Amino acid sequence: RNIRLLFFILNSFTAIVFSMTISRLSTRLFSSTAQSALARNANSPLRWGILSAGRISSDYVKAMHLVPEAEPIAVAARSASKAQEFADSHNIPKTFGNYHDLIRNPDVDVVYIGTIADHHYEWTRESILAGKPTVVEKPMTLCADDTKELINLAKEKNVFLMEGMWTRCFPAMQKLRQIIASNEIGPIVYVQGDFGYSMANNGPEDRIWLPDSGGVTMDIGMYIAQFGRLAFPDGKLKDVFAAGTVKNGVDHSVMATVTYERGDSRDGFGEDGLLQFALTGAANTEERMVLQGTKGRVFINGPFHVPQKMKVMYDQGRGESTEQIFDFPLPDDPYGAWNNPGSIGFVHQIREVGTALSRGKKECDSFTWNESLEVATVVDEIVRQVRGERPILRKVNGMEAMEVASS
């Protein structure tokens, strides 16, 4: 009897180990199959699947048609008729009446998720689990906890993931990084900016009033919040202070200050870094950024989220300076009409994603996983201070920067 019991235990253990091994192998195989497809097509255009047939997806696809290394081959919508209408308008060969089939299609190399933010987590998660390299519009999710979960899942499955912070991919931002790294205007003391557009004509059904994803901070706050890590690359997120007004249950105008512990400084400048900005849905603002250093300053002309012109001023004394102008014109525009101004600039992000994938990277250098997580943490805290907890915030994040090692 004891021998039979022993054999039963051994057989059960063997079955469990075998089942776990098969599960792990199948997951790796599924992921490696999607990744190897990229290697096989290294000399061919990267084949994109467009998940959602909305306005932002329309702009993204129009820009994609201007990038020879990329090709939109499929689009999915919540109905077959809407997908077909979008495909006809944008010269896309494949259509799907649901999102699942696009994600599972073997011809799709990379998935672009352009749904409203409320559905980003759900479909990004499914895309990662399918082993598909994924670009998801910002915000990646509705809270830092969910963003952290997706990043950890991408790491676990060894799948490329990028939040669509397209501003970071513009040539002007690469130049800004060089200026900061060179220390030619000294350490950055503070950053100031504004971003606002009138929502007066946004009706009651508009997404801007949705309880979880609505409000000016969730809509555009990340564009300025991401400047903190640019200005203070070695700093640590310290505090967020915010005040504002609420309309229809969501934040409508916001003033925020974010502080960064600077840490060790090569030149001995040890003061905390400051990022201060205004957001509003009540007016169209200049949309300009200023980065003030100890020896000069950088002005990024509006609209800074589509950066095309930058002025660098070098102090020669109080009230005296020399200046240098840098121009970064947008590509030639064969369309003229876009849903959002400057959307032709998506070409920079589309190219960068293709380059990253061709080099086997799992995240883009211009906007890393850690940066996505830090910006989500700042946005969460601003919204909490201005209008209280949203239903999506199931957990308390606190003000501790939730870092993920980008291996």
Side-chain angles (χ1 to χ4, degrees):
R1 187 177 299 174
N2 290 336
I3 293 176
R4 288 178 181 175
L5 179 61
L6 179 61
F7 273 113
F8 175 78
I9 293 173
L10 287 174
N11 287 336
S12 299
F13 178 75
T14 301
I16 292 171
V17 171
F18 180 77
S19 175
M20 291 174 62
T21 302
I22 292 297
S23 175
R24 288 174 181 172
L25 285 174
S26 62
T27 298
R28 290 177 182 174
L29 180 62
F30 199 26
S31 177
S32 63
T33 298
Q35 302 293 333
S36 63
L38 299 177
R40 288 197 303 272
N41 297 316
N43 297 320
S44 302
L46 192 65
R47 301 171 301 180
W48 288 72
I50 310 302
L51 196 149
S52 179
R55 291 162 54 88
I56 191 71
S57 295
S58 174
D59 282 358
Y60 203 80
V61 170
K62 287 169 68 175
M64 192 176 295
H65 280 304
L66 303 177
V67 181
E69 307 91 338
E71 179 184 7
I73 66 149
V75 61
R78 292 196 177 274
S79 71
S81 60
K82 187 172 182 180
Q84 190 61 56
E85 180 183 354
F86 188 95
D88 292 342
S89 299
H90 295 84
N91 193 27
I92 298 177
K94 295 179 183 290
T95 64
F96 299 96
N98 65 79
Y99 297 154
H100 300 281
D101 289 345
L102 180 140
I103 289 172
R104 296 167 184 165
N105 188 273
D107 293 333
V108 172
D109 295 325
V110 55
V111 174
Y112 167 79
I113 297 174
T115 65
I116 63 170
D118 298 71
H119 301 304
H120 285 179
Y121 171 86
E122 173 189 1
W123 296 111
T124 302
R125 184 176 186 277
E126 180 163 330
S127 185
I128 293 171
L129 288 173
K132 294 287 189 183
T134 305
V135 176
V136 55
E137 266 304 331
K138 54 197 179 307
M140 183 183 294
T141 70
L142 300 183
C143 65
D145 283 333
D146 285 349
T147 296
K148 183 179 183 180
E149 185 179 325
L150 290 181
I151 290 170
N152 286 337
L153 183 63
K155 288 179 64 180
E156 176 189 340
K157 302 300 181 183
N158 197 32
V159 174
F160 177 91
L161 173 65
M162 183 186 186
E163 181 179 13
M165 184 57 74
W166 62 312
T167 300
R168 284 289 191 92
C169 304
F170 279 69
M173 300 303 281
Q174 297 171 19
K175 180 63 179 177
L176 178 63
R177 284 182 185 272
Q178 293 172 9
I179 292 171
I180 293 172
S182 71
N183 206 40
E184 59 191 80
I185 61 168
I188 303 300
V189 181
Y190 65 80
V191 183
Q192 285 184 316
D194 66 88
F195 196 167
Y197 65 95
S198 176
M199 301 176 184
N201 296 323
N202 294 53
E205 303 302 320
D206 193 274
R207 64 173 179 81
I208 201 67
W209 312 120
L210 293 173
D212 276 328
S213 62
V216 70
T217 308
M218 289 294 294
D219 191 40
I220 56 177
M222 68 286 295
Y223 279 115
I224 301 189
Q226 54 96 8
F227 271 89
R229 183 53 52 206
L230 280 174
F232 315 111
D234 299 320
K236 180 182 178 182
L237 180 62
K238 183 179 179 182
D239 289 304
V240 175
F241 306 96
T245 63
V246 174
K247 182 178 180 179
N248 297 334
V250 302
D251 45 298
H252 193 237
S253 292
V254 169
M255 293 288 291
T257 299
V258 185
T259 63
Y260 291 81
E261 291 182 6
R262 194 178 296 272
D264 295 334
S265 179
R266 289 172 294 179
D267 53 17
F269 188 80
E271 294 182 12
D272 286 349
L274 298 170
L275 168 64
Q276 186 180 62
F277 56 90
L279 307 169
T280 185
N284 299 313
T285 71
E286 188 177 4
E287 298 182 32
R288 188 177 72 157
M289 296 295 299
V290 180
L291 292 87
Q292 177 66 56
T294 59
K295 299 186 293 185
R297 65 205 61 82
V298 178
F299 294 93
I300 303 177
N301 289 25
F304 75 83
H305 71 291
V306 187
Q308 300 161 61
K309 189 170 185 176
M310 191 161 57
K311 179 170 69 173
V312 184
M313 302 186 70
Y314 304 94
D315 288 346
Q316 304 299 313
R318 187 173 182 180
E320 299 179 4
S321 62
T322 60
E323 65 179 50
Q324 190 172 6
I325 305 294
F326 297 94
D327 286 304
F328 304 91
L330 292 174
D332 292 338
D333 188 351
Y335 300 111
W338 299 81
N339 291 311
N340 295 290
S343 286
I344 193 172
F346 276 134
V347 297
H348 301 302
Q349 183 186 38
I350 293 165
R351 289 195 185 104
E352 181 163 340
V353 170
T355 299
L357 289 173
S358 70
R359 295 175 179 173
K361 294 185 176 183
K362 306 307 173 188
E363 55 183 322
C364 274
D365 294 335
S366 288
F367 198 60
T368 65
W369 292 343
N370 277 339
E371 290 177 296
S372 284
L373 193 52
E374 181 171 284
V375 169
T377 302
V378 172
V379 168
D380 275 2
E381 186 64 14
I382 291 173
V383 175
R384 186 191 67 80
Q385 291 185 27
V386 174
R387 65 179 175 103
E389 300 287 2
R390 291 167 290 146
I392 191 66
L393 295 179
R394 300 180 299 275
K395 307 167 188 174
V396 177
N397 294 323
M399 271 314 306
E400 184 176 336
M402 299 177 294
E403 294 200 356
V404 175
S406 49
S407 56

